[in-house]
Amino acid sequence: MLSLIKRNLLYTLRDRTSFAMSFISVAILIMMYKLFLNNLQISQLKAAIHSQHVGLAGTTMINFWLISGLVVVTLATAAINGLSVLVEDRVSGKQADFMIAGVKPYRMLLAYLISAVILTFITTGATFLAGTIIFVGWSGLTGFSLVAWSQLVGLMVFASLLACLLALPWVAMMKSLQSFSIFSTMVGTLIGFVAGIYLPLGALSNSLQKLVLSLPFVHEGALFKQILMAPSADSFFKGMSAAARQQYDLFFGNRLTDLAGQVISSGASQLYLLAWLVVASLLTILSYYWSQRH
């Protein structure tokens, strides 16, 4: 199976067009951030502290909000593009050749999944590092504790696995490169909206907020924000009321609420994502074996 994983990795890395598609949504988010999201956040912070200046801590906090969004968008798009080899193998007949050669379907499935997870993690990690250096500077990488780094890397690994498991059932049923391309473009365009990244959660209607809060990407985004924004947010809101910080966190999706309006803890979001992982795993197995028979 290791040879299959290596083969899938090399195929995807050689497909530069597919690899570049992972960053289209990132470019859209950066453009929207420059156009109005940055000004929206600054206005909110100025109103919260009754000042015309947000200072270095406020600017750093806003930049890490953007970087969290970049990470979530990259997770979704990189996972789909990392699975492009699956569609290519089906279209070209290579999957049938593998089965004739004695490769079990579950080995092929695991090879596709593992290679996609590796590529998703690498792409997401590179996006985080590049975004931090560009928007915050090298100091942004040294301001986290060892515990924060372990939480960040662990969340990236888990989120990469979940993103690939969520994408695999859809990709497994596609029988043409054209349908895969359409699907990839649609997800890349919509992920920022449905995950509350292009528009803050507080700017959505109550009904849309409830819909969006059911999606795993929103919970991933909140967890990334809580880790990345913690040092600068603690510094910025120092001396202010807890209500001021909570109002900011809820409006921009740093903290989430349940249907009853109660603030959800990070542990609850983690359990929710774990449930999604179990469901996505079952759907992946069912859809892949279904696709092998049709």
PDB file of all heavy atoms in Angstrom, residues 72-107:
ATOM      1  N   VAL A  72      -8.987  27.264   7.097  1.00  0.00           N
ATOM      2  CA  VAL A  72     -10.225  26.499   6.895  1.00  0.00           C
ATOM      3  C   VAL A  72     -10.549  26.368   5.412  1.00  0.00           C
ATOM      4  O   VAL A  72     -10.936  25.291   4.939  1.00  0.00           O
ATOM      5  CB  VAL A  72     -11.392  27.168   7.651  1.00  0.00           C
ATOM      6  CG1 VAL A  72     -12.717  26.486   7.304  1.00  0.00           C
ATOM      7  CG2 VAL A  72     -11.153  27.111   9.151  1.00  0.00           C
ATOM      8  N   VAL A  73     -10.396  27.444   4.662  1.00  0.00           N
ATOM      9  CA  VAL A  73     -10.662  27.398   3.219  1.00  0.00           C
ATOM     10  C   VAL A  73      -9.700  26.430   2.535  1.00  0.00           C
ATOM     11  O   VAL A  73     -10.100  25.620   1.686  1.00  0.00           O
ATOM     12  CB  VAL A  73     -10.533  28.804   2.606  1.00  0.00           C
ATOM     13  CG1 VAL A  73     -10.519  28.730   1.081  1.00  0.00           C
ATOM     14  CG2 VAL A  73     -11.680  29.688   3.061  1.00  0.00           C
ATOM     15  N   THR A  74      -8.427  26.481   2.905  1.00  0.00           N
ATOM     16  CA  THR A  74      -7.429  25.598   2.304  1.00  0.00           C
ATOM     17  C   THR A  74      -7.717  24.138   2.617  1.00  0.00           C
ATOM     18  O   THR A  74      -7.517  23.260   1.768  1.00  0.00           O
ATOM     19  CB  THR A  74      -6.021  25.970   2.795  1.00  0.00           C
ATOM     20  OG1 THR A  74      -5.765  27.342   2.513  1.00  0.00           O
ATOM     21  CG2 THR A  74      -4.961  25.121   2.110  1.00  0.00           C
ATOM     22  N   LEU A  75      -8.175  23.857   3.826  1.00  0.00           N
ATOM     23  CA  LEU A  75      -8.510  22.481   4.196  1.00  0.00           C
ATOM     24  C   LEU A  75      -9.510  21.877   3.213  1.00  0.00           C
ATOM     25  O   LEU A  75      -9.328  20.750   2.726  1.00  0.00           O
ATOM     26  CB  LEU A  75      -9.097  22.450   5.613  1.00  0.00           C
ATOM     27  CG  LEU A  75      -8.114  22.498   6.782  1.00  0.00           C
ATOM     28  CD1 LEU A  75      -8.859  22.779   8.082  1.00  0.00           C
ATOM     29  CD2 LEU A  75      -7.349  21.183   6.885  1.00  0.00           C
ATOM     30  N   ALA A  76     -10.568  22.614   2.919  1.00  0.00           N
ATOM     31  CA  ALA A  76     -11.622  22.093   2.045  1.00  0.00           C
ATOM     32  C   ALA A  76     -11.145  21.918   0.611  1.00  0.00           C
ATOM     33  O   ALA A  76     -11.371  20.869  -0.013  1.00  0.00           O
ATOM     34  CB  ALA A  76     -12.833  23.022   2.093  1.00  0.00           C
ATOM     35  N   THR A  77     -10.480  22.931   0.080  1.00  0.00           N
ATOM     36  CA  THR A  77     -10.066  22.868  -1.328  1.00  0.00           C
ATOM     37  C   THR A  77      -8.909  21.889  -1.542  1.00  0.00           C
ATOM     38  O   THR A  77      -8.881  21.167  -2.540  1.00  0.00           O
ATOM     39  CB  THR A  77      -9.663  24.262  -1.824  1.00  0.00           C
ATOM     40  OG1 THR A  77      -8.632  24.810  -0.976  1.00  0.00           O
ATOM     41  CG2 THR A  77     -10.858  25.201  -1.802  1.00  0.00           C
ATOM     42  N   ALA A  78      -7.967  21.857  -0.606  1.00  0.00           N
ATOM     43  CA  ALA A  78      -6.828  20.948  -0.751  1.00  0.00           C
ATOM     44  C   ALA A  78      -7.268  19.493  -0.636  1.00  0.00           C
ATOM     45  O   ALA A  78      -6.718  18.611  -1.315  1.00  0.00           O
ATOM     46  CB  ALA A  78      -5.769  21.263   0.301  1.00  0.00           C
ATOM     47  N   ALA A  79      -8.246  19.219   0.215  1.00  0.00           N
ATOM     48  CA  ALA A  79      -8.741  17.852   0.366  1.00  0.00           C
ATOM     49  C   ALA A  79      -9.348  17.344  -0.939  1.00  0.00           C
ATOM     50  O   ALA A  79      -9.088  16.208  -1.361  1.00  0.00           O
ATOM     51  CB  ALA A  79      -9.769  17.791   1.490  1.00  0.00           C
ATOM     52  N   ILE A  80     -10.142  18.186  -1.585  1.00  0.00           N
ATOM     53  CA  ILE A  80     -10.769  17.780  -2.845  1.00  0.00           C
ATOM     54  C   ILE A  80      -9.716  17.566  -3.930  1.00  0.00           C
ATOM     55  O   ILE A  80      -9.723  16.544  -4.632  1.00  0.00           O
ATOM     56  CB  ILE A  80     -11.791  18.838  -3.290  1.00  0.00           C
ATOM     57  CG1 ILE A  80     -12.969  18.865  -2.321  1.00  0.00           C
ATOM     58  CG2 ILE A  80     -12.285  18.556  -4.714  1.00  0.00           C
ATOM     59  CD1 ILE A  80     -13.943  19.986  -2.574  1.00  0.00           C
ATOM     60  N   ASN A  81      -8.798  18.505  -4.059  1.00  0.00           N
ATOM     61  CA  ASN A  81      -7.776  18.375  -5.097  1.00  0.00           C
ATOM     62  C   ASN A  81      -6.814  17.235  -4.809  1.00  0.00           C
ATOM     63  O   ASN A  81      -6.236  16.655  -5.732  1.00  0.00           O
ATOM     64  CB  ASN A  81      -7.021  19.698  -5.239  1.00  0.00           C
ATOM     65  CG  ASN A  81      -7.882  20.791  -5.845  1.00  0.00           C
ATOM     66  OD1 ASN A  81      -8.547  20.590  -6.856  1.00  0.00           O
ATOM     67  ND2 ASN A  81      -7.914  21.951  -5.228  1.00  0.00           N
ATOM     68  N   GLY A  82      -6.644  16.894  -3.532  1.00  0.00           N
ATOM     69  CA  GLY A  82      -5.795  15.756  -3.191  1.00  0.00           C
ATOM     70  C   GLY A  82      -6.411  14.427  -3.599  1.00  0.00           C
ATOM     71  O   GLY A  82      -5.709  13.409  -3.690  1.00  0.00           O
ATOM     72  N   LEU A  83      -7.721  14.430  -3.841  1.00  0.00           N
ATOM     73  CA  LEU A  83      -8.423  13.216  -4.265  1.00  0.00           C
ATOM     74  C   LEU A  83      -8.646  13.157  -5.775  1.00  0.00           C
ATOM     75  O   LEU A  83      -9.325  12.253  -6.264  1.00  0.00           O
ATOM     76  CB  LEU A  83      -9.784  13.141  -3.560  1.00  0.00           C
ATOM     77  CG  LEU A  83      -9.734  12.916  -2.044  1.00  0.00           C
ATOM     78  CD1 LEU A  83     -11.105  13.176  -1.428  1.00  0.00           C
ATOM     79  CD2 LEU A  83      -9.266  11.496  -1.729  1.00  0.00           C
ATOM     80  N   SER A  84      -8.073  14.086  -6.500  1.00  0.00           N
ATOM     81  CA  SER A  84      -8.265  14.117  -7.952  1.00  0.00           C
ATOM     82  C   SER A  84      -7.737  12.849  -8.624  1.00  0.00           C
ATOM     83  O   SER A  84      -8.264  12.422  -9.662  1.00  0.00           O
ATOM     84  CB  SER A  84      -7.572  15.350  -8.553  1.00  0.00           C
ATOM     85  OG  SER A  84      -6.171  15.315  -8.291  1.00  0.00           O
ATOM     86  N   VAL A  85      -6.722  12.229  -8.033  1.00  0.00           N
ATOM     87  CA  VAL A  85      -6.148  11.013  -8.616  1.00  0.00           C
ATOM     88  C   VAL A  85      -7.168   9.878  -8.631  1.00  0.00           C
ATOM     89  O   VAL A  85      -7.138   9.019  -9.517  1.00  0.00           O
ATOM     90  CB  VAL A  85      -4.880  10.596  -7.834  1.00  0.00           C
ATOM     91  CG1 VAL A  85      -5.209  10.269  -6.384  1.00  0.00           C
ATOM     92  CG2 VAL A  85      -4.195   9.412  -8.500  1.00  0.00           C
ATOM     93  N   LEU A  86      -8.100   9.879  -7.683  1.00  0.00           N
ATOM     94  CA  LEU A  86      -9.135   8.837  -7.639  1.00  0.00           C
ATOM     95  C   LEU A  86     -10.006   8.906  -8.895  1.00  0.00           C
ATOM     96  O   LEU A  86     -10.291   7.878  -9.523  1.00  0.00           O
ATOM     97  CB  LEU A  86      -9.978   9.005  -6.372  1.00  0.00           C
ATOM     98  CG  LEU A  86     -11.007   7.925  -6.018  1.00  0.00           C
ATOM     99  CD1 LEU A  86     -11.340   7.985  -4.524  1.00  0.00           C
ATOM    100  CD2 LEU A  86     -12.299   8.049  -6.812  1.00  0.00           C
ATOM    101  N   VAL A  87     -10.432  10.106  -9.251  1.00  0.00           N
ATOM    102  CA  VAL A  87     -11.274  10.272 -10.437  1.00  0.00           C
ATOM    103  C   VAL A  87     -10.481   9.940 -11.700  1.00  0.00           C
ATOM    104  O   VAL A  87     -10.988   9.284 -12.618  1.00  0.00           O
ATOM    105  CB  VAL A  87     -11.827  11.709 -10.512  1.00  0.00           C
ATOM    106  CG1 VAL A  87     -12.752  11.865 -11.717  1.00  0.00           C
ATOM    107  CG2 VAL A  87     -12.574  12.060  -9.237  1.00  0.00           C
ATOM    108  N   GLU A  88      -9.252  10.391 -11.746  1.00  0.00           N
ATOM    109  CA  GLU A  88      -8.405  10.119 -12.909  1.00  0.00           C
ATOM    110  C   GLU A  88      -8.208   8.614 -13.097  1.00  0.00           C
ATOM    111  O   GLU A  88      -8.268   8.111 -14.227  1.00  0.00           O
ATOM    112  CB  GLU A  88      -7.047  10.797 -12.719  1.00  0.00           C
ATOM    113  CG  GLU A  88      -6.007  10.479 -13.779  1.00  0.00           C
ATOM    114  CD  GLU A  88      -6.413  10.977 -15.161  1.00  0.00           C
ATOM    115  OE1 GLU A  88      -7.129  11.987 -15.244  1.00  0.00           O
ATOM    116  OE2 GLU A  88      -6.003  10.349 -16.161  1.00  0.00           O
ATOM    117  N   ASP A  89      -8.004   7.881 -12.001  1.00  0.00           N
ATOM    118  CA  ASP A  89      -7.824   6.431 -12.097  1.00  0.00           C
ATOM    119  C   ASP A  89      -9.088   5.737 -12.589  1.00  0.00           C
ATOM    120  O   ASP A  89      -9.019   4.766 -13.344  1.00  0.00           O
ATOM    121  CB  ASP A  89      -7.429   5.861 -10.731  1.00  0.00           C
ATOM    122  CG  ASP A  89      -5.986   6.167 -10.375  1.00  0.00           C
ATOM    123  OD1 ASP A  89      -5.246   6.653 -11.245  1.00  0.00           O
ATOM    124  OD2 ASP A  89      -5.598   5.928  -9.207  1.00  0.00           O
ATOM    125  N   ARG A  90     -10.260   6.220 -12.162  1.00  0.00           N
ATOM    126  CA  ARG A  90     -11.500   5.608 -12.612  1.00  0.00           C
ATOM    127  C   ARG A  90     -11.726   5.881 -14.096  1.00  0.00           C
ATOM    128  O   ARG A  90     -12.108   4.978 -14.850  1.00  0.00           O
ATOM    129  CB  ARG A  90     -12.681   6.133 -11.795  1.00  0.00           C
ATOM    130  CG  ARG A  90     -14.023   5.593 -12.322  1.00  0.00           C
ATOM    131  CD  ARG A  90     -15.179   5.993 -11.437  1.00  0.00           C
ATOM    132  NE  ARG A  90     -15.036   5.386 -10.128  1.00  0.00           N
ATOM    133  CZ  ARG A  90     -15.097   6.060  -8.990  1.00  0.00           C
ATOM    134  NH1 ARG A  90     -15.290   7.350  -8.995  1.00  0.00           N
ATOM    135  NH2 ARG A  90     -14.965   5.434  -7.856  1.00  0.00           N
ATOM    136  N   VAL A  91     -11.508   7.120 -14.508  1.00  0.00           N
ATOM    137  CA  VAL A  91     -11.730   7.488 -15.910  1.00  0.00           C
ATOM    138  C   VAL A  91     -10.779   6.743 -16.836  1.00  0.00           C
ATOM    139  O   VAL A  91     -11.164   6.271 -17.917  1.00  0.00           O
ATOM    140  CB  VAL A  91     -11.571   9.011 -16.093  1.00  0.00           C
ATOM    141  CG1 VAL A  91     -11.617   9.385 -17.571  1.00  0.00           C
ATOM    142  CG2 VAL A  91     -12.659   9.758 -15.334  1.00  0.00           C
ATOM    143  N   SER A  92      -9.529   6.615 -16.425  1.00  0.00           N
ATOM    144  CA  SER A  92      -8.511   5.978 -17.271  1.00  0.00           C
ATOM    145  C   SER A  92      -8.536   4.455 -17.197  1.00  0.00           C
ATOM    146  O   SER A  92      -7.856   3.777 -17.980  1.00  0.00           O
ATOM    147  CB  SER A  92      -7.120   6.473 -16.875  1.00  0.00           C
ATOM    148  OG  SER A  92      -6.808   6.085 -15.538  1.00  0.00           O
ATOM    149  N   GLY A  93      -9.313   3.897 -16.254  1.00  0.00           N
ATOM    150  CA  GLY A  93      -9.384   2.446 -16.123  1.00  0.00           C
ATOM    151  C   GLY A  93      -8.301   1.845 -15.256  1.00  0.00           C
ATOM    152  O   GLY A  93      -8.192   0.614 -15.157  1.00  0.00           O
ATOM    153  N   LYS A  94      -7.510   2.677 -14.594  1.00  0.00           N
ATOM    154  CA  LYS A  94      -6.421   2.145 -13.771  1.00  0.00           C
ATOM    155  C   LYS A  94      -6.924   1.418 -12.536  1.00  0.00           C
ATOM    156  O   LYS A  94      -6.271   0.488 -12.053  1.00  0.00           O
ATOM    157  CB  LYS A  94      -5.482   3.287 -13.370  1.00  0.00           C
ATOM    158  CG  LYS A  94      -4.667   3.838 -14.528  1.00  0.00           C
ATOM    159  CD  LYS A  94      -3.745   4.966 -14.085  1.00  0.00           C
ATOM    160  CE  LYS A  94      -2.963   5.516 -15.276  1.00  0.00           C
ATOM    161  NZ  LYS A  94      -2.094   6.657 -14.895  1.00  0.00           N
ATOM    162  N   GLN A  95      -8.088   1.827 -12.019  1.00  0.00           N
ATOM    163  CA  GLN A  95      -8.637   1.121 -10.865  1.00  0.00           C
ATOM    164  C   GLN A  95      -8.935  -0.334 -11.227  1.00  0.00           C
ATOM    165  O   GLN A  95      -8.657  -1.247 -10.438  1.00  0.00           O
ATOM    166  CB  GLN A  95      -9.904   1.813 -10.377  1.00  0.00           C
ATOM    167  CG  GLN A  95      -9.656   3.061  -9.546  1.00  0.00           C
ATOM    168  CD  GLN A  95     -10.934   3.597  -8.920  1.00  0.00           C
ATOM    169  OE1 GLN A  95     -12.028   3.111  -9.185  1.00  0.00           O
ATOM    170  NE2 GLN A  95     -10.792   4.621  -8.101  1.00  0.00           N
ATOM    171  N   ALA A  96      -9.486  -0.544 -12.403  1.00  0.00           N
ATOM    172  CA  ALA A  96      -9.757  -1.914 -12.859  1.00  0.00           C
ATOM    173  C   ALA A  96      -8.460  -2.694 -13.018  1.00  0.00           C
ATOM    174  O   ALA A  96      -8.392  -3.888 -12.676  1.00  0.00           O
ATOM    175  CB  ALA A  96     -10.530  -1.887 -14.178  1.00  0.00           C
ATOM    176  N   ASP A  97      -7.418  -2.025 -13.517  1.00  0.00           N
ATOM    177  CA  ASP A  97      -6.118  -2.679 -13.661  1.00  0.00           C
ATOM    178  C   ASP A  97      -5.550  -3.085 -12.301  1.00  0.00           C
ATOM    179  O   ASP A  97      -4.975  -4.176 -12.156  1.00  0.00           O
ATOM    180  CB  ASP A  97      -5.130  -1.747 -14.370  1.00  0.00           C
ATOM    181  CG  ASP A  97      -5.538  -1.460 -15.809  1.00  0.00           C
ATOM    182  OD1 ASP A  97      -6.324  -2.258 -16.371  1.00  0.00           O
ATOM    183  OD2 ASP A  97      -5.085  -0.443 -16.365  1.00  0.00           O
ATOM    184  N   PHE A  98      -5.708  -2.207 -11.309  1.00  0.00           N
ATOM    185  CA  PHE A  98      -5.225  -2.531  -9.968  1.00  0.00           C
ATOM    186  C   PHE A  98      -5.926  -3.762  -9.403  1.00  0.00           C
ATOM    187  O   PHE A  98      -5.302  -4.625  -8.779  1.00  0.00           O
ATOM    188  CB  PHE A  98      -5.438  -1.340  -9.024  1.00  0.00           C
ATOM    189  CG  PHE A  98      -4.516  -0.182  -9.284  1.00  0.00           C
ATOM    190  CD1 PHE A  98      -4.951   1.126  -9.103  1.00  0.00           C
ATOM    191  CD2 PHE A  98      -3.215  -0.384  -9.697  1.00  0.00           C
ATOM    192  CE1 PHE A  98      -4.107   2.201  -9.337  1.00  0.00           C
ATOM    193  CE2 PHE A  98      -2.360   0.669  -9.941  1.00  0.00           C
ATOM    194  CZ  PHE A  98      -2.809   1.981  -9.759  1.00  0.00           C
ATOM    195  N   MET A  99      -7.245  -3.836  -9.620  1.00  0.00           N
ATOM    196  CA  MET A  99      -8.018  -4.956  -9.091  1.00  0.00           C
ATOM    197  C   MET A  99      -7.646  -6.260  -9.795  1.00  0.00           C
ATOM    198  O   MET A  99      -7.586  -7.318  -9.167  1.00  0.00           O
ATOM    199  CB  MET A  99      -9.512  -4.673  -9.229  1.00  0.00           C
ATOM    200  CG  MET A  99      -9.976  -3.495  -8.380  1.00  0.00           C
ATOM    201  SD  MET A  99     -11.760  -3.178  -8.481  1.00  0.00           S
ATOM    202  CE  MET A  99     -12.394  -4.603  -7.602  1.00  0.00           C
ATOM    203  N   ILE A 100      -7.379  -6.184 -11.092  1.00  0.00           N
ATOM    204  CA  ILE A 100      -6.933  -7.367 -11.836  1.00  0.00           C
ATOM    205  C   ILE A 100      -5.581  -7.837 -11.313  1.00  0.00           C
ATOM    206  O   ILE A 100      -5.300  -9.041 -11.232  1.00  0.00           O
ATOM    207  CB  ILE A 100      -6.854  -7.065 -13.343  1.00  0.00           C
ATOM    208  CG1 ILE A 100      -8.261  -6.825 -13.910  1.00  0.00           C
ATOM    209  CG2 ILE A 100      -6.178  -8.209 -14.090  1.00  0.00           C
ATOM    210  CD1 ILE A 100      -8.272  -6.378 -15.355  1.00  0.00           C
ATOM    211  N   ALA A 101      -4.752  -6.864 -10.902  1.00  0.00           N
ATOM    212  CA  ALA A 101      -3.426  -7.188 -10.370  1.00  0.00           C
ATOM    213  C   ALA A 101      -3.491  -7.693  -8.923  1.00  0.00           C
ATOM    214  O   ALA A 101      -2.449  -8.039  -8.353  1.00  0.00           O
ATOM    215  CB  ALA A 101      -2.529  -5.958 -10.444  1.00  0.00           C
ATOM    216  N   GLY A 102      -4.702  -7.733  -8.345  1.00  0.00           N
ATOM    217  CA  GLY A 102      -4.848  -8.294  -7.005  1.00  0.00           C
ATOM    218  C   GLY A 102      -4.892  -7.280  -5.884  1.00  0.00           C
ATOM    219  O   GLY A 102      -4.880  -7.662  -4.706  1.00  0.00           O
ATOM    220  N   VAL A 103      -4.973  -5.993  -6.217  1.00  0.00           N
ATOM    221  CA  VAL A 103      -5.045  -4.960  -5.176  1.00  0.00           C
ATOM    222  C   VAL A 103      -6.478  -4.906  -4.649  1.00  0.00           C
ATOM    223  O   VAL A 103      -7.421  -4.714  -5.410  1.00  0.00           O
ATOM    224  CB  VAL A 103      -4.633  -3.581  -5.720  1.00  0.00           C
ATOM    225  CG1 VAL A 103      -4.720  -2.533  -4.615  1.00  0.00           C
ATOM    226  CG2 VAL A 103      -3.220  -3.643  -6.278  1.00  0.00           C
ATOM    227  N   LYS A 104      -6.619  -5.081  -3.346  1.00  0.00           N
ATOM    228  CA  LYS A 104      -7.941  -5.071  -2.740  1.00  0.00           C
ATOM    229  C   LYS A 104      -8.541  -3.661  -2.756  1.00  0.00           C
ATOM    230  O   LYS A 104      -7.813  -2.672  -2.599  1.00  0.00           O
ATOM    231  CB  LYS A 104      -7.869  -5.564  -1.295  1.00  0.00           C
ATOM    232  CG  LYS A 104      -7.333  -6.983  -1.150  1.00  0.00           C
ATOM    233  CD  LYS A 104      -8.277  -7.992  -1.768  1.00  0.00           C
ATOM    234  CE  LYS A 104      -7.788  -9.416  -1.515  1.00  0.00           C
ATOM    235  NZ  LYS A 104      -8.671 -10.420  -2.155  1.00  0.00           N
ATOM    236  N   PRO A 105      -9.870  -3.546  -2.914  1.00  0.00           N
ATOM    237  CA  PRO A 105     -10.513  -2.224  -2.927  1.00  0.00           C
ATOM    238  C   PRO A 105     -10.232  -1.401  -1.674  1.00  0.00           C
ATOM    239  O   PRO A 105     -10.048  -0.186  -1.753  1.00  0.00           O
ATOM    240  CB  PRO A 105     -12.005  -2.566  -3.051  1.00  0.00           C
ATOM    241  CG  PRO A 105     -12.028  -3.875  -3.755  1.00  0.00           C
ATOM    242  CD  PRO A 105     -10.837  -4.620  -3.251  1.00  0.00           C
ATOM    243  N   TYR A 106     -10.192  -2.062  -0.495  1.00  0.00           N
ATOM    244  CA  TYR A 106      -9.969  -1.297   0.725  1.00  0.00           C
ATOM    245  C   TYR A 106      -8.554  -0.726   0.773  1.00  0.00           C
ATOM    246  O   TYR A 106      -8.316   0.333   1.366  1.00  0.00           O
ATOM    247  CB  TYR A 106     -10.251  -2.160   1.961  1.00  0.00           C
ATOM    248  CG  TYR A 106      -9.157  -3.124   2.355  1.00  0.00           C
ATOM    249  CD1 TYR A 106      -8.140  -2.728   3.229  1.00  0.00           C
ATOM    250  CD2 TYR A 106      -9.133  -4.430   1.869  1.00  0.00           C
ATOM    251  CE1 TYR A 106      -7.138  -3.599   3.599  1.00  0.00           C
ATOM    252  CE2 TYR A 106      -8.128  -5.308   2.231  1.00  0.00           C
ATOM    253  CZ  TYR A 106      -7.133  -4.892   3.104  1.00  0.00           C
ATOM    254  OH  TYR A 106      -6.138  -5.757   3.479  1.00  0.00           O
ATOM    255  N   ARG A 107      -7.590  -1.420   0.131  1.00  0.00           N
ATOM    256  CA  ARG A 107      -6.230  -0.889   0.066  1.00  0.00           C
ATOM    257  C   ARG A 107      -6.163   0.347  -0.835  1.00  0.00           C
ATOM    258  O   ARG A 107      -5.471   1.322  -0.531  1.00  0.00           O
ATOM    259  CB  ARG A 107      -5.259  -1.957  -0.443  1.00  0.00           C
ATOM    260  CG  ARG A 107      -4.960  -3.049   0.573  1.00  0.00           C
ATOM    261  CD  ARG A 107      -3.931  -4.040   0.049  1.00  0.00           C
ATOM    262  NE  ARG A 107      -3.555  -4.990   1.061  1.00  0.00           N
ATOM    263  CZ  ARG A 107      -2.566  -4.817   1.947  1.00  0.00           C
ATOM    264  NH1 ARG A 107      -1.865  -3.692   1.910  1.00  0.00           N
ATOM    265  NH2 ARG A 107      -2.288  -5.731   2.838  1.00  0.00           N
TER     266      ARG A 107
END
